Amino acid sequence: DGRSQTRTVYAWLAHTLDVFGRPSKKFYSALAAFATDAAEAEKLEWLTTPEGAIDFKGRVADTVTYADILLEFASARPPITHLVDLIAPIKPRHYSIASSARMHPGSVHLCVVTVHWPTSRGPRAGQCTRFLDALNIGDAVTVSVKPSVMKLPPLDAQPVIMAGLGTGMAPFRAFIEERAMRKLEGVNVGPMTLYFGSRHRAMEYLYGEEFEAYHADGLLTNLRLAFSRDQKDKVYIQHKMRDDAGLLADGLLANDGCFYLCGPTWPASDVKDAMVHAFTSHGGVKPTEASKVIEELKESDRYILEVY
């Protein structure tokens, strides 16, 4: 667009380039051209070949970073003007807002888990979660607020069925708070069902006391908990949903409710199977038509997935 920016080398490395991200084969190949040590140049090129594929995959699995490669192949020293083209920019991290603007005007709440894992080069930490964890109260942070697919249905009386795993609980706390505020304003709000899944109740029951209070108050009509590691047989949210087949069919098919799933990708197919079971066993839907019904719900924004 004809505009230019001036940045210091520190700004490029600390705030713009994904120095602690995982490089592609293209970076290895490009770096080889700058290696003054013949053996290092040869290995960098070898890693991009079919013969070096196993070693390269091992590096990806071990989360070897751009910084690691630059330190390992010390003779390769591309100038900063080349690095800005060779290293990908830091990608934005998207977090669901875990609060209602009506209940908390002027602020947003986030539900973030700090990520740590071991590697052959030492312990690692998630880039953004490490940054957030190191902040002090009052520190300024640059953020942007973007529209979300997670929206309450247009009618306050429509049933809401939510399924969240781990930090995927975040948008549902916002939903519940929003309806709590509307209820305080005298609005008749519809039933809300929450399925929450994590490994251990003692360590990962996020916002548990709040949800228990909303459940006792009647705003949160149904609270279904699945802590997979707290008993011998693993229990997941899809198991709880299968137990509630009648409730799901009634809420979604008979009363125009909306269903939301937020969290990791892996349970999406099992959750769909539980929904198919509900529709066919209690909703009068033929097995051959169940998937079509779910697709129709998706098209009408009544079956919404935010998985990652």
Side-chain angles (χ1 to χ4, degrees):
D1 58 6
R3 295 181 295 177
S4 63
Q5 289 184 334
T6 300
R7 298 183 186 177
T8 64
V9 171
Y10 174 84
W12 274 108
L13 296 176
H15 303 302
T16 306
L17 300 180
D18 196 11
V19 177
F20 299 109
R22 284 185 278 192
S24 65
K25 287 184 178 180
K26 182 179 179 181
F27 178 77
Y28 286 81
S29 181
L31 192 62
F34 295 96
T36 57
D37 182 285
E40 290 187 354
E42 182 179 358
K43 185 170 184 181
L44 283 164
E45 288 288 6
W46 177 79
L47 285 165
T48 67
T49 65
E51 292 75 18
I54 294 178
D55 194 330
F56 180 80
K57 288 180 180 178
R59 288 167 176 266
V60 173
D62 202 33
T63 57
V64 172
T65 68
Y66 289 98
D68 291 329
I69 300 304
L70 289 170
L71 290 171
E72 180 181 352
F73 299 93
S75 75
R77 285 291 177 264
I80 186 65
T81 51
H82 284 75
L83 282 178
V84 297
D85 292 325
L86 295 177
I87 300 178
I90 297 173
K91 296 178 181 178
R93 270 58 171 181
H94 298 137
Y95 297 104
S96 296
I97 294 175
S99 57
S100 162
R102 292 191 187 204
M103 185 171 287
H104 308 280
S107 68
V108 296
H109 297 187
L110 302 180
C111 182
V112 181
V113 60
T114 53
V115 182
H116 304 274
W117 68 97
T119 74
S120 65
R121 298 170 186 249
R124 299 284 197 201
Q127 184 161 277
C128 188
T129 59
R130 177 182 57 189
F131 168 77
L132 293 173
D133 194 39
L135 291 173
N136 296 311
I137 295 176
D139 286 348
V141 180
T142 299
V143 301
S144 62
V145 179
K146 299 182 179 297
S148 171
V149 297
M150 290 289 183
K151 298 178 181 178
L152 280 167
L155 302 178
D156 291 304
Q158 284 179 269
V160 170
I161 300 171
M162 307 161 284
L165 284 85
T167 56
M169 174 57 57
F172 305 137
R173 179 178 183 254
F175 280 10
I176 294 168
E177 288 188 345
E178 180 69 10
R179 279 207 165 172
M181 293 302 293
R182 294 189 187 187
K183 184 177 179 181
L184 284 174
E185 294 167 356
V187 176
N188 179 35
V189 298
M192 304 187 80
T193 297
L194 174 64
Y195 297 92
F196 175 64
S198 65
R199 290 171 297 181
H200 301 286
R201 183 186 185 111
M203 298 176 62
E204 299 165 317
Y205 189 12
L206 306 175
Y207 305 113
E209 292 183 358
E210 293 182 21
F211 294 141
E212 298 283 353
Y214 285 126
H215 182 47
D217 180 62
L219 175 73
L220 187 54
T221 317
N222 303 293
L223 178 59
R224 305 289 193 255
L225 307 174
F227 299 105
S228 61
R229 303 297 194 274
D230 280 354
Q231 60 283 311
K232 181 180 178 180
D233 296 324
K234 294 180 180 178
V235 178
Y236 298 108
I237 58 170
Q238 58 265 28
H239 300 138
K240 297 292 184 179
M241 291 176 65
R242 286 185 70 88
D243 292 341
D244 285 342
L247 183 153
L248 296 176
D250 183 69
L252 290 173
L253 301 182
N255 290 289
D256 297 324
C258 295
F259 173 74
Y260 307 85
L261 171 66
C262 185
T265 304
W266 66 264
S269 61
D270 292 327
V271 165
K272 179 183 175 182
D273 290 343
M275 201 67 74
V276 167
H277 168 71
F279 292 172
T280 55
S281 62
H282 289 77
V285 177
K286 296 179 180 179
T288 55
E289 297 292 320
S291 290
K292 180 182 177 182
V293 171
I294 289 176
E295 290 304 313
E296 291 173 349
L297 290 173
K298 288 182 180 180
E299 291 176 5
S300 60
D301 293 329
R302 292 177 49 216
Y303 190 104
I304 298 174
L305 308 181
E306 187 173 82
V307 295
Y308 37 83

PDB file of all heavy atoms in Angstrom, residues 1 37 47 61 88 108 156 165 179 188 212-213 231 270 298 303 305-306:
ATOM      1  N   ASP A   1       0.825  -1.218   0.000  1.00  0.00           N
ATOM      2  CA  ASP A   1       0.000   0.000   0.000  1.00  0.00           C
ATOM      3  C   ASP A   1       0.858   1.267   0.000  1.00  0.00           C
ATOM      4  O   ASP A   1       0.348   2.367   0.191  1.00  0.00           O
ATOM      5  CB  ASP A   1      -0.951  -0.007   1.205  1.00  0.00           C
ATOM      6  CG  ASP A   1      -0.211  -0.108   2.533  1.00  0.00           C
ATOM      7  OD1 ASP A   1       1.043  -0.049   2.532  1.00  0.00           O
ATOM      8  OD2 ASP A   1      -0.875  -0.229   3.571  1.00  0.00           O
ATOM      9  N   ASP A  37      30.546 -23.185   7.128  1.00  0.00           N
ATOM     10  CA  ASP A  37      31.090 -24.510   7.416  1.00  0.00           C
ATOM     11  C   ASP A  37      30.432 -25.509   6.463  1.00  0.00           C
ATOM     12  O   ASP A  37      29.208 -25.653   6.433  1.00  0.00           O
ATOM     13  CB  ASP A  37      30.799 -24.890   8.869  1.00  0.00           C
ATOM     14  CG  ASP A  37      31.380 -26.238   9.255  1.00  0.00           C
ATOM     15  OD1 ASP A  37      30.812 -27.270   8.828  1.00  0.00           O
ATOM     16  OD2 ASP A  37      32.381 -26.263   9.978  1.00  0.00           O
ATOM     17  N   LEU A  47      18.731 -32.416   5.573  1.00  0.00           N
ATOM     18  CA  LEU A  47      17.496 -32.474   6.362  1.00  0.00           C
ATOM     19  C   LEU A  47      16.248 -32.214   5.519  1.00  0.00           C
ATOM     20  O   LEU A  47      15.136 -32.547   5.933  1.00  0.00           O
ATOM     21  CB  LEU A  47      17.566 -31.472   7.516  1.00  0.00           C
ATOM     22  CG  LEU A  47      18.460 -31.884   8.691  1.00  0.00           C
ATOM     23  CD1 LEU A  47      18.740 -30.687   9.594  1.00  0.00           C
ATOM     24  CD2 LEU A  47      17.817 -33.013   9.490  1.00  0.00           C
ATOM     25  N   ALA A  61       8.722 -32.930  16.013  1.00  0.00           N
ATOM     26  CA  ALA A  61       8.096 -33.481  17.209  1.00  0.00           C
ATOM     27  C   ALA A  61       8.736 -32.945  18.477  1.00  0.00           C
ATOM     28  O   ALA A  61       8.065 -32.793  19.512  1.00  0.00           O
ATOM     29  CB  ALA A  61       8.177 -35.011  17.184  1.00  0.00           C
ATOM     30  N   ALA A  88       9.045 -16.750   9.882  1.00  0.00           N
ATOM     31  CA  ALA A  88       7.632 -16.361   9.810  1.00  0.00           C
ATOM     32  C   ALA A  88       7.278 -15.387  10.928  1.00  0.00           C
ATOM     33  O   ALA A  88       7.882 -15.415  12.002  1.00  0.00           O
ATOM     34  CB  ALA A  88       6.758 -17.605   9.914  1.00  0.00           C
ATOM     35  N   VAL A 108     -12.584  -7.508  30.046  1.00  0.00           N
ATOM     36  CA  VAL A 108     -12.854  -8.853  29.540  1.00  0.00           C
ATOM     37  C   VAL A 108     -12.057  -9.843  30.384  1.00  0.00           C
ATOM     38  O   VAL A 108     -10.958  -9.534  30.848  1.00  0.00           O
ATOM     39  CB  VAL A 108     -12.472  -9.011  28.049  1.00  0.00           C
ATOM     40  CG1 VAL A 108     -13.318  -8.121  27.172  1.00  0.00           C
ATOM     41  CG2 VAL A 108     -10.993  -8.727  27.820  1.00  0.00           C
ATOM     42  N   ASP A 156     -34.370 -14.925  23.855  1.00  0.00           N
ATOM     43  CA  ASP A 156     -33.934 -15.249  25.214  1.00  0.00           C
ATOM     44  C   ASP A 156     -34.514 -16.560  25.726  1.00  0.00           C
ATOM     45  O   ASP A 156     -33.904 -17.216  26.581  1.00  0.00           O
ATOM     46  CB  ASP A 156     -34.320 -14.119  26.175  1.00  0.00           C
ATOM     47  CG  ASP A 156     -33.524 -12.849  25.916  1.00  0.00           C
ATOM     48  OD1 ASP A 156     -32.288 -12.921  25.942  1.00  0.00           O
ATOM     49  OD2 ASP A 156     -34.142 -11.804  25.686  1.00  0.00           O
ATOM     50  N   LEU A 165     -14.761 -28.375  26.948  1.00  0.00           N
ATOM     51  CA  LEU A 165     -13.668 -29.179  27.500  1.00  0.00           C
ATOM     52  C   LEU A 165     -12.534 -28.261  27.913  1.00  0.00           C
ATOM     53  O   LEU A 165     -12.050 -27.458  27.100  1.00  0.00           O
ATOM     54  CB  LEU A 165     -13.151 -30.191  26.472  1.00  0.00           C
ATOM     55  CG  LEU A 165     -14.033 -31.415  26.235  1.00  0.00           C
ATOM     56  CD1 LEU A 165     -15.106 -31.105  25.208  1.00  0.00           C
ATOM     57  CD2 LEU A 165     -13.196 -32.590  25.752  1.00  0.00           C
ATOM     58  N   ARG A 179     -26.981 -14.277  30.465  1.00  0.00           N
ATOM     59  CA  ARG A 179     -28.373 -14.616  30.772  1.00  0.00           C
ATOM     60  C   ARG A 179     -28.714 -14.311  32.229  1.00  0.00           C
ATOM     61  O   ARG A 179     -29.865 -13.998  32.544  1.00  0.00           O
ATOM     62  CB  ARG A 179     -28.655 -16.076  30.427  1.00  0.00           C
ATOM     63  CG  ARG A 179     -28.923 -16.270  28.928  1.00  0.00           C
ATOM     64  CD  ARG A 179     -29.786 -17.457  28.638  1.00  0.00           C
ATOM     65  NE  ARG A 179     -30.314 -17.417  27.277  1.00  0.00           N
ATOM     66  CZ  ARG A 179     -30.975 -18.411  26.704  1.00  0.00           C
ATOM     67  NH1 ARG A 179     -31.214 -19.526  27.389  1.00  0.00           N
ATOM     68  NH2 ARG A 179     -31.430 -18.303  25.482  1.00  0.00           N
ATOM     69  N   ASN A 188     -37.502 -13.242  30.728  1.00  0.00           N
ATOM     70  CA  ASN A 188     -37.716 -14.679  30.893  1.00  0.00           C
ATOM     71  C   ASN A 188     -36.697 -15.416  30.014  1.00  0.00           C
ATOM     72  O   ASN A 188     -36.807 -15.398  28.781  1.00  0.00           O
ATOM     73  CB  ASN A 188     -39.142 -15.054  30.496  1.00  0.00           C
ATOM     74  CG  ASN A 188     -39.396 -16.546  30.626  1.00  0.00           C
ATOM     75  OD1 ASN A 188     -38.874 -17.204  31.533  1.00  0.00           O
ATOM     76  ND2 ASN A 188     -40.192 -17.098  29.708  1.00  0.00           N
ATOM     77  N   GLU A 212     -21.858 -24.026  40.122  1.00  0.00           N
ATOM     78  CA  GLU A 212     -22.692 -24.669  41.146  1.00  0.00           C
ATOM     79  C   GLU A 212     -23.726 -23.687  41.676  1.00  0.00           C
ATOM     80  O   GLU A 212     -24.886 -24.053  41.921  1.00  0.00           O
ATOM     81  CB  GLU A 212     -21.814 -25.181  42.286  1.00  0.00           C
ATOM     82  CG  GLU A 212     -20.784 -26.244  41.897  1.00  0.00           C
ATOM     83  CD  GLU A 212     -21.366 -27.621  41.711  1.00  0.00           C
ATOM     84  OE1 GLU A 212     -22.562 -27.807  42.013  1.00  0.00           O
ATOM     85  OE2 GLU A 212     -20.628 -28.513  41.241  1.00  0.00           O
ATOM     86  N   ALA A 213     -23.315 -22.428  41.851  1.00  0.00           N
ATOM     87  CA  ALA A 213     -24.251 -21.418  42.352  1.00  0.00           C
ATOM     88  C   ALA A 213     -25.348 -21.120  41.335  1.00  0.00           C
ATOM     89  O   ALA A 213     -26.532 -20.999  41.690  1.00  0.00           O
ATOM     90  CB  ALA A 213     -23.487 -20.139  42.701  1.00  0.00           C
ATOM     91  N   GLN A 231     -12.108 -41.748  38.089  1.00  0.00           N
ATOM     92  CA  GLN A 231     -12.629 -43.072  38.382  1.00  0.00           C
ATOM     93  C   GLN A 231     -11.947 -44.071  37.449  1.00  0.00           C
ATOM     94  O   GLN A 231     -11.239 -43.675  36.520  1.00  0.00           O
ATOM     95  CB  GLN A 231     -14.149 -43.133  38.225  1.00  0.00           C
ATOM     96  CG  GLN A 231     -14.657 -42.795  36.844  1.00  0.00           C
ATOM     97  CD  GLN A 231     -14.663 -41.326  36.557  1.00  0.00           C
ATOM     98  OE1 GLN A 231     -15.144 -40.546  37.347  1.00  0.00           O
ATOM     99  NE2 GLN A 231     -14.099 -40.933  35.421  1.00  0.00           N
ATOM    100  N   ASP A 270     -17.478 -37.889  18.294  1.00  0.00           N
ATOM    101  CA  ASP A 270     -18.200 -38.636  19.333  1.00  0.00           C
ATOM    102  C   ASP A 270     -19.414 -37.852  19.825  1.00  0.00           C
ATOM    103  O   ASP A 270     -20.466 -38.440  20.137  1.00  0.00           O
ATOM    104  CB  ASP A 270     -17.273 -38.948  20.503  1.00  0.00           C
ATOM    105  CG  ASP A 270     -16.181 -39.943  20.136  1.00  0.00           C
ATOM    106  OD1 ASP A 270     -16.448 -40.829  19.306  1.00  0.00           O
ATOM    107  OD2 ASP A 270     -15.065 -39.827  20.671  1.00  0.00           O
ATOM    108  N   LYS A 298     -26.600 -26.746  11.624  1.00  0.00           N
ATOM    109  CA  LYS A 298     -25.386 -25.947  11.417  1.00  0.00           C
ATOM    110  C   LYS A 298     -25.664 -24.760  10.512  1.00  0.00           C
ATOM    111  O   LYS A 298     -25.218 -23.629  10.776  1.00  0.00           O
ATOM    112  CB  LYS A 298     -24.282 -26.820  10.815  1.00  0.00           C
ATOM    113  CG  LYS A 298     -23.673 -27.828  11.770  1.00  0.00           C
ATOM    114  CD  LYS A 298     -22.560 -28.616  11.084  1.00  0.00           C
ATOM    115  CE  LYS A 298     -21.927 -29.625  12.028  1.00  0.00           C
ATOM    116  NZ  LYS A 298     -20.853 -30.403  11.370  1.00  0.00           N
ATOM    117  N   TYR A 303     -26.107 -25.295  15.641  1.00  0.00           N
ATOM    118  CA  TYR A 303     -25.173 -26.367  15.999  1.00  0.00           C
ATOM    119  C   TYR A 303     -23.781 -25.802  15.687  1.00  0.00           C
ATOM    120  O   TYR A 303     -23.318 -25.859  14.548  1.00  0.00           O
ATOM    121  CB  TYR A 303     -25.455 -27.621  15.184  1.00  0.00           C
ATOM    122  CG  TYR A 303     -24.714 -28.883  15.637  1.00  0.00           C
ATOM    123  CD1 TYR A 303     -25.374 -29.889  16.339  1.00  0.00           C
ATOM    124  CD2 TYR A 303     -23.359 -29.069  15.348  1.00  0.00           C
ATOM    125  CE1 TYR A 303     -24.714 -31.052  16.737  1.00  0.00           C
ATOM    126  CE2 TYR A 303     -22.707 -30.224  15.737  1.00  0.00           C
ATOM    127  CZ  TYR A 303     -23.373 -31.203  16.426  1.00  0.00           C
ATOM    128  OH  TYR A 303     -22.716 -32.355  16.810  1.00  0.00           O
ATOM    129  N   LEU A 305     -19.709 -25.208  16.346  1.00  0.00           N
ATOM    130  CA  LEU A 305     -18.460 -25.788  16.843  1.00  0.00           C
ATOM    131  C   LEU A 305     -17.352 -24.743  16.801  1.00  0.00           C
ATOM    132  O   LEU A 305     -17.173 -24.055  15.801  1.00  0.00           O
ATOM    133  CB  LEU A 305     -18.047 -26.988  15.981  1.00  0.00           C
ATOM    134  CG  LEU A 305     -19.079 -28.092  15.731  1.00  0.00           C
ATOM    135  CD1 LEU A 305     -18.468 -29.192  14.886  1.00  0.00           C
ATOM    136  CD2 LEU A 305     -19.616 -28.643  17.028  1.00  0.00           C
ATOM    137  N   GLU A 306     -16.615 -24.644  17.906  1.00  0.00           N
ATOM    138  CA  GLU A 306     -15.393 -23.839  17.928  1.00  0.00           C
ATOM    139  C   GLU A 306     -14.311 -24.748  18.509  1.00  0.00           C
ATOM    140  O   GLU A 306     -14.089 -24.787  19.721  1.00  0.00           O
ATOM    141  CB  GLU A 306     -15.556 -22.586  18.777  1.00  0.00           C
ATOM    142  CG  GLU A 306     -14.361 -21.640  18.671  1.00  0.00           C
ATOM    143  CD  GLU A 306     -14.587 -20.317  19.371  1.00  0.00           C
ATOM    144  OE1 GLU A 306     -14.407 -20.280  20.613  1.00  0.00           O
ATOM    145  OE2 GLU A 306     -14.977 -19.336  18.709  1.00  0.00           O
TER     146      GLU A 306
END
